[in-house]
Amino acid sequence: MSTNDPQASALLQVSDLTRSYDLPRSSLFGPREQVHALRGVSLRLQAGRSLGIVGESGSGKSTLARLVMALDKPTSGSVELLGQNLHQLTPTELRKARRNFQMVFQDPYGSLDPRQSVERIITEPLQALEQTTRQQQAERAAEVLAQVGLRASDASKYPHEFSGGQRQRIAIARAIITRPQLIVADEPVSALDVSVQAQVLNLMQDLQQQYGLSYLLISHDLAVISHLCDEVLVMHQGQVVERGTPVELFTNAQHPYTRMLVAAVPQISPGGARARRAARKAESVQFTTQ
Protein backbone atom coordinates (compact mmCIF):
# COMPACT_ATOMS: atom_id res chain seq x y z
CA MET A 1 0.00 0.00 0.00
CA SER A 2 2.97 2.26 -0.32
CA THR A 3 2.58 5.59 -2.13
CA ASN A 4 6.22 5.96 -3.09
CA ASP A 5 5.93 5.11 -6.82
CA PRO A 6 8.34 7.60 -8.40
CA GLN A 7 6.53 7.33 -11.75
CA ALA A 8 3.17 8.38 -10.36
CA SER A 9 2.28 12.05 -10.36
CA ALA A 10 1.68 13.16 -6.77
CA LEU A 11 -1.30 15.27 -5.77
CA LEU A 12 0.82 16.77 -2.96
CA GLN A 13 4.61 17.00 -3.03
CA VAL A 14 6.48 18.43 -0.04
CA SER A 15 10.22 18.80 -0.61
CA ASP A 16 12.88 19.44 2.04
CA LEU A 17 10.57 21.68 4.06
CA THR A 18 12.20 23.70 6.85
CA ARG A 19 10.65 26.21 9.24
CA SER A 20 12.58 28.15 11.87
CA TYR A 21 11.28 30.81 14.25
CA ASP A 22 13.28 33.61 15.85
CA LEU A 23 13.31 33.72 19.64
CA PRO A 24 13.46 36.95 21.67
CA ARG A 25 16.98 38.23 22.29
CA SER A 26 18.42 37.26 25.64
CA SER A 27 20.26 40.59 25.74
CA LEU A 28 20.11 43.87 23.86
CA PHE A 29 23.13 43.17 21.64
CA GLY A 30 23.16 39.39 21.86
CA PRO A 31 22.51 37.13 18.86
CA ARG A 32 18.95 36.11 18.10
CA GLU A 33 18.48 32.39 18.69
CA GLN A 34 16.14 30.22 16.64
CA VAL A 35 13.89 27.23 17.23
CA HIS A 36 13.69 24.76 14.35
CA ALA A 37 10.12 23.49 14.09
CA LEU A 38 10.72 21.54 10.85
CA ARG A 39 14.00 20.13 9.59
CA GLY A 40 13.98 19.01 5.96
CA VAL A 41 10.61 17.21 5.80
CA SER A 42 9.68 15.58 2.48
CA LEU A 43 6.57 13.58 1.54
CA ARG A 44 4.39 12.53 -1.38
CA LEU A 45 0.64 11.95 -1.39
CA GLN A 46 -1.16 10.38 -4.33
CA ALA A 47 -4.75 11.25 -5.28
CA GLY A 48 -7.34 9.23 -3.39
CA ARG A 49 -4.89 8.12 -0.70
CA SER A 50 -4.44 8.98 2.97
CA LEU A 51 -1.15 9.87 4.62
CA GLY A 52 -0.86 10.02 8.40
CA ILE A 53 1.57 12.25 10.29
CA VAL A 54 2.06 11.04 13.83
CA GLY A 55 4.13 12.37 16.72
CA GLU A 56 3.86 13.87 20.18
CA SER A 57 3.21 17.55 20.90
CA GLY A 58 6.10 19.70 19.68
CA SER A 59 7.18 17.28 16.96
CA GLY A 60 6.28 19.73 14.16
CA LYS A 61 2.99 18.17 12.98
CA SER A 62 0.83 21.30 13.20
CA THR A 63 3.60 23.46 11.70
CA LEU A 64 3.64 21.09 8.73
CA ALA A 65 -0.16 21.35 8.43
CA ARG A 66 -0.03 25.17 8.39
CA LEU A 67 2.66 25.17 5.71
CA VAL A 68 0.75 22.71 3.53
CA MET A 69 -2.33 24.93 3.90
CA ALA A 70 -0.21 28.00 3.00
CA LEU A 71 -1.16 29.63 6.31
CA ASP A 72 2.53 30.15 7.04
CA LYS A 73 5.65 30.44 4.87
CA PRO A 74 8.58 28.02 5.02
CA THR A 75 12.12 29.07 5.75
CA SER A 76 13.12 26.85 2.84
CA GLY A 77 11.70 24.02 0.77
CA SER A 78 8.48 23.82 -1.23
CA VAL A 79 4.87 22.63 -1.10
CA GLU A 80 3.37 21.68 -4.47
CA LEU A 81 -0.29 20.85 -4.95
CA LEU A 82 -1.36 19.71 -8.42
CA GLY A 83 2.03 20.89 -9.68
CA GLN A 84 1.68 24.43 -8.26
CA ASN A 85 4.14 25.73 -5.67
CA LEU A 86 1.65 27.19 -3.19
CA HIS A 87 4.14 29.58 -1.64
CA GLN A 88 5.02 31.16 -4.98
CA LEU A 89 1.43 31.98 -5.95
CA THR A 90 0.09 35.51 -5.84
CA PRO A 91 -2.68 36.16 -3.29
CA THR A 92 -5.27 36.00 -6.08
CA GLU A 93 -3.87 32.74 -7.45
CA LEU A 94 -3.70 31.21 -3.98
CA ARG A 95 -7.30 32.20 -3.30
CA LYS A 96 -8.41 30.36 -6.45
CA ALA A 97 -6.25 27.33 -5.61
CA ARG A 98 -7.82 26.97 -2.16
CA ARG A 99 -10.94 25.36 -3.61
CA ASN A 100 -8.75 22.25 -4.10
CA PHE A 101 -7.56 21.98 -0.49
CA GLN A 102 -9.45 22.57 2.73
CA MET A 103 -8.80 21.96 6.42
CA VAL A 104 -10.59 20.36 9.37
CA PHE A 105 -9.36 21.67 12.73
CA GLN A 106 -8.98 19.99 16.10
CA ASP A 107 -11.66 21.82 18.09
CA PRO A 108 -15.03 21.56 16.30
CA TYR A 109 -16.52 24.29 18.48
CA GLY A 110 -13.63 26.73 18.35
CA SER A 111 -13.46 26.51 14.54
CA LEU A 112 -17.15 27.39 14.09
CA ASP A 113 -18.43 30.95 14.59
CA PRO A 114 -21.11 30.68 17.31
CA ARG A 115 -22.85 33.81 15.98
CA GLN A 116 -23.50 32.33 12.55
CA SER A 117 -26.01 29.73 11.43
CA VAL A 118 -24.81 26.36 10.15
CA GLU A 119 -25.78 27.32 6.60
CA ARG A 120 -23.75 30.51 6.79
CA ILE A 121 -20.75 28.63 8.24
CA ILE A 122 -20.59 25.83 5.69
CA THR A 123 -21.29 28.04 2.66
CA GLU A 124 -18.60 30.58 3.59
CA PRO A 125 -16.01 28.90 1.28
CA LEU A 126 -18.48 29.17 -1.63
CA GLN A 127 -18.97 32.87 -0.95
CA ALA A 128 -15.20 33.38 -0.92
CA LEU A 129 -14.27 31.18 -3.88
CA GLU A 130 -17.22 30.99 -6.26
CA GLN A 131 -19.87 33.16 -7.84
CA THR A 132 -23.03 31.46 -6.57
CA THR A 133 -26.52 32.65 -5.76
CA ARG A 134 -28.11 32.33 -2.33
CA GLN A 135 -30.37 29.60 -3.71
CA GLN A 136 -27.41 27.63 -5.05
CA GLN A 137 -25.61 27.99 -1.72
CA ALA A 138 -28.68 26.74 0.19
CA GLU A 139 -28.96 23.74 -2.12
CA ARG A 140 -25.28 22.87 -1.74
CA ALA A 141 -25.56 23.27 2.05
CA ALA A 142 -28.47 20.82 2.19
CA GLU A 143 -26.51 18.42 -0.03
CA VAL A 144 -23.35 18.35 2.10
CA LEU A 145 -25.29 18.19 5.37
CA ALA A 146 -26.95 15.02 4.10
CA GLN A 147 -23.55 13.66 3.07
CA VAL A 148 -22.22 14.01 6.62
CA GLY A 149 -25.32 12.49 8.23
CA LEU A 150 -27.18 15.64 9.27
CA ARG A 151 -30.59 16.99 8.21
CA ALA A 152 -31.24 19.85 5.82
CA SER A 153 -33.26 21.52 8.59
CA ASP A 154 -30.07 21.73 10.68
CA ALA A 155 -28.89 24.52 8.37
CA SER A 156 -30.90 27.10 10.33
CA LYS A 157 -29.46 26.08 13.71
CA TYR A 158 -26.36 27.35 15.53
CA PRO A 159 -23.23 25.45 16.69
CA HIS A 160 -24.21 25.40 20.38
CA GLU A 161 -27.27 23.30 19.51
CA PHE A 162 -25.13 20.32 18.46
CA SER A 163 -22.95 17.72 20.18
CA GLY A 164 -19.18 17.64 19.67
CA GLY A 165 -19.43 14.89 17.07
CA GLN A 166 -22.15 16.73 15.18
CA ARG A 167 -20.11 19.94 15.22
CA GLN A 168 -17.17 18.08 13.68
CA ARG A 169 -19.54 16.79 11.00
CA ILE A 170 -20.46 20.42 10.31
CA ALA A 171 -16.76 21.28 10.02
CA ILE A 172 -16.31 18.40 7.56
CA ALA A 173 -19.33 19.61 5.57
CA ARG A 174 -17.70 23.03 5.30
CA ALA A 175 -14.47 21.41 4.11
CA ILE A 176 -16.08 19.33 1.35
CA ILE A 177 -18.52 21.92 0.01
CA THR A 178 -15.99 23.18 -2.58
CA ARG A 179 -15.38 19.56 -3.63
CA PRO A 180 -11.64 19.71 -2.84
CA GLN A 181 -9.11 17.06 -3.76
CA LEU A 182 -7.13 17.33 -0.49
CA ILE A 183 -8.30 17.71 3.10
CA VAL A 184 -5.77 18.44 5.82
CA ALA A 185 -7.18 17.20 9.13
CA ASP A 186 -5.24 18.37 12.20
CA GLU A 187 -6.19 16.17 15.18
CA PRO A 188 -9.82 15.99 13.91
CA VAL A 189 -11.07 13.59 16.62
CA SER A 190 -8.84 14.24 19.64
CA ALA A 191 -11.41 16.60 21.22
CA LEU A 192 -14.20 14.01 20.89
CA ASP A 193 -15.32 11.14 23.10
CA VAL A 194 -13.84 7.78 22.13
CA SER A 195 -17.26 6.45 21.08
CA VAL A 196 -17.68 9.39 18.70
CA GLN A 197 -14.16 9.25 17.27
CA ALA A 198 -14.87 6.05 15.32
CA GLN A 199 -18.07 7.55 13.88
CA VAL A 200 -16.22 10.60 12.54
CA LEU A 201 -13.34 8.50 11.17
CA ASN A 202 -15.80 6.16 9.46
CA LEU A 203 -17.54 9.18 7.95
CA MET A 204 -14.22 10.47 6.59
CA GLN A 205 -13.51 7.03 5.14
CA ASP A 206 -16.94 6.87 3.46
CA LEU A 207 -16.50 10.34 1.95
CA GLN A 208 -13.08 9.34 0.62
CA GLN A 209 -14.51 6.28 -1.11
CA GLN A 210 -17.41 8.28 -2.50
CA TYR A 211 -15.50 11.30 -3.80
CA GLY A 212 -11.89 10.15 -4.13
CA LEU A 213 -10.66 12.56 -1.45
CA SER A 214 -7.06 12.56 -0.26
CA TYR A 215 -6.33 13.10 3.42
CA LEU A 216 -3.28 14.41 5.22
CA LEU A 217 -4.21 13.32 8.73
CA ILE A 218 -2.28 14.82 11.65
CA SER A 219 -2.47 13.02 15.00
CA HIS A 220 -0.52 12.01 18.09
CA ASP A 221 -2.48 8.74 18.19
CA LEU A 222 -1.23 5.80 16.11
CA ALA A 223 -4.54 3.98 16.58
CA VAL A 224 -6.44 6.86 14.93
CA ILE A 225 -3.91 7.06 12.10
CA SER A 226 -4.08 3.32 11.41
CA HIS A 227 -7.88 3.48 11.05
CA LEU A 228 -7.77 5.72 7.99
CA CYS A 229 -4.29 5.95 6.50
CA ASP A 230 -2.48 3.97 3.80
CA GLU A 231 0.93 5.23 4.91
CA VAL A 232 2.32 6.83 8.05
CA LEU A 233 5.19 9.25 8.68
CA VAL A 234 6.52 9.41 12.23
CA MET A 235 7.84 12.83 13.26
CA HIS A 236 10.17 13.61 16.14
CA GLN A 237 11.75 17.00 16.86
CA GLY A 238 10.81 18.36 13.45
CA GLN A 239 12.14 15.43 11.43
CA VAL A 240 10.66 12.33 9.82
CA VAL A 241 12.28 9.42 11.67
CA GLU A 242 10.34 6.55 10.10
CA ARG A 243 7.72 5.85 7.46
CA GLY A 244 5.70 2.83 6.39
CA THR A 245 2.24 1.29 6.36
CA PRO A 246 0.33 1.07 9.67
CA VAL A 247 0.86 -2.69 9.72
CA GLU A 248 4.61 -2.29 9.23
CA LEU A 249 4.88 0.23 12.05
CA PHE A 250 2.74 -1.77 14.47
CA THR A 251 4.52 -5.06 13.83
CA ASN A 252 8.08 -4.08 12.93
CA ALA A 253 8.88 -0.53 14.01
CA GLN A 254 12.58 0.24 13.55
CA HIS A 255 13.10 3.57 15.29
CA PRO A 256 13.07 3.67 19.12
CA TYR A 257 10.68 6.63 19.09
CA THR A 258 8.20 4.73 16.90
CA ARG A 259 8.42 1.72 19.19
CA MET A 260 7.63 4.02 22.12
CA LEU A 261 4.51 5.33 20.32
CA VAL A 262 3.37 1.81 19.48
CA ALA A 263 3.86 0.73 23.10
CA ALA A 264 1.65 3.65 24.22
CA VAL A 265 -1.36 2.37 22.24
CA PRO A 266 -3.78 0.78 24.75
CA GLN A 267 -4.00 -3.01 24.42
CA ILE A 268 -7.30 -4.42 25.65
CA SER A 269 -7.59 -8.16 26.21
CA PRO A 270 -10.69 -10.12 27.38
CA GLY A 271 -10.65 -10.49 31.14
CA GLY A 272 -7.62 -8.23 31.43
CA ALA A 273 -9.17 -5.92 34.01
CA ARG A 274 -10.38 -8.90 36.10
CA ALA A 275 -6.91 -10.45 36.03
CA ARG A 276 -5.28 -7.18 37.11
CA ARG A 277 -7.75 -6.81 40.01
CA ALA A 278 -7.03 -10.37 41.11
CA ALA A 279 -3.28 -9.72 40.94
CA ARG A 280 -3.60 -6.56 43.02
CA LYS A 281 -5.75 -8.42 45.57
CA ALA A 282 -3.16 -11.23 45.80
CA GLU A 283 -0.40 -8.68 46.34
CA SER A 284 -2.44 -7.03 49.09
CA VAL A 285 -3.05 -10.34 50.87
CA GLN A 286 0.62 -11.25 50.61
CA PHE A 287 1.59 -7.87 52.09
CA THR A 288 -0.76 -8.20 55.09
CA THR A 289 0.42 -11.71 55.95
CA GLN A 290 4.08 -10.76 56.03
Side-chain angles (χ1 to χ4, degrees), residues 282-290:
E283 290 174 358
S284 176
V285 171
Q286 183 180 14
F287 177 78
T288 56
T289 58
Q290 287 179 348

Side-chain angles (χ1 to χ4, degrees), residues 122-123 125-126 137 140-141 144 172-180:
I122 64 179
T123 59
L126 292 180
Q137 292 171 15
R140 291 276 289 277
V144 296
I172 293 172
R174 177 176 59 185
I176 67 174
I177 199 167
T178 63
R179 300 187 177 100

Side-chain angles (χ1 to χ4, degrees), residues 242 246-255 258-259 262:
E242 191 165 357
V247 171
E248 290 170 346
L249 295 185
F250 268 103
T251 60
N252 191 32
Q254 300 298 307
H255 195 276
T258 308
R259 292 198 292 268
V262 172

Side-chain angles (χ1 to χ4, degrees), residues 33-91:
E33 297 183 0
Q34 290 186 324
V35 58
H36 303 288
L38 289 181
R39 303 168 183 262
V41 173
S42 297
L43 61 88
R44 289 170 61 88
L45 175 59
Q46 306 300 135
R49 309 282 283 183
S50 296
L51 177 62
I53 309 294
V54 68
E56 61 189 348
S57 296
S59 62
K61 307 186 307 296
S62 294
T63 299
L64 176 61
R66 289 197 301 272
L67 292 175
V68 169
M69 286 300 300
L71 299 175
D72 191 11
K73 292 187 176 182
T75 304
S76 63
S78 63
V79 176
E80 294 185 5
L81 181 72
L82 294 169
Q84 289 184 303
N85 188 328
L86 297 181
H87 297 283
Q88 291 183 351
L89 299 179
T90 66

Side-chain angles (χ1 to χ4, degrees), residues 33-253:
E33 297 183 0
Q34 290 186 324
V35 58
H36 303 288
L38 289 181
R39 303 168 183 262
V41 173
S42 297
L43 61 88
R44 289 170 61 88
L45 175 59
Q46 306 300 135
R49 309 282 283 183
S50 296
L51 177 62
I53 309 294
V54 68
E56 61 189 348
S57 296
S59 62
K61 307 186 307 296
S62 294
T63 299
L64 176 61
R66 289 197 301 272
L67 292 175
V68 169
M69 286 300 300
L71 299 175
D72 191 11
K73 292 187 176 182
T75 304
S76 63
S78 63
V79 176
E80 294 185 5
L81 181 72
L82 294 169
Q84 289 184 303
N85 188 328
L86 297 181
H87 297 283
Q88 291 183 351
L89 299 179
T90 66
T92 300
E93 292 170 338
L94 180 59
R95 186 184 183 92
K96 292 180 180 178
R98 285 197 181 280
R99 68 168 297 116
N100 291 316
F101 62 108
Q102 295 290 318
M103 189 165 186
V104 176
F105 295 91
Q106 176 178 359
D107 182 0
Y109 193 71
S111 64
L112 306 177
D113 190 336
R115 300 167 298 179
Q116 295 185 351
S117 68
V118 167
E119 180 178 326
R120 173 85 176 180
I121 288 170
I122 64 179
T123 59
E124 187 174 14
L126 292 180
Q127 299 167 28
L129 301 173
E130 298 182 11
Q131 294 295 324
T132 53
T133 65
R134 290 292 298 273
Q135 179 62 29
Q136 291 171 326
Q137 292 171 15
E139 291 172 355
R140 291 276 289 277
E143 177 186 343
V144 296
L145 283 173
Q147 289 168 353
V148 300
L150 297 174
R151 298 185 299 269
S153 59
D154 290 329
S156 61
K157 297 180 181 180
Y158 289 81
H160 73 271
E161 300 180 67
F162 298 89
S163 67
Q166 289 173 323
R167 287 195 288 264
Q168 197 62 296
R169 289 173 183 264
I170 293 169
I172 293 172
R174 177 176 59 185
I176 67 174
I177 199 167
T178 63
R179 300 187 177 100
Q181 297 191 46
L182 171 67
I183 290 182
V184 177
D186 188 2
E187 301 277 9
V189 297
S190 65
L192 306 177
D193 292 339
V194 174
S195 60
V196 181
Q197 289 183 5
Q199 297 175 18
V200 173
L201 291 173
N202 288 336
L203 169 64
M204 293 174 67
Q205 198 168 47
D206 292 342
L207 292 172
Q208 181 180 43
Q209 294 172 355
Q210 187 174 359
Y211 298 106
L213 294 171
S214 297
Y215 290 118
L216 185 67
L217 180 61
I218 312 291
S219 181
H220 67 279
D221 190 337
L222 260 178
V224 169
I225 291 288
S226 66
H227 188 92
L228 190 65
C229 295
D230 303 295
E231 188 178 13
V232 184
L233 269 62
V234 181
M235 290 189 63
H236 181 53
Q237 295 182 349
Q239 296 177 302
V240 175
V241 297
E242 191 165 357
R243 64 185 72 201
T245 67
V247 171
E248 290 170 346
L249 295 185
F250 268 103
T251 60
N252 191 32

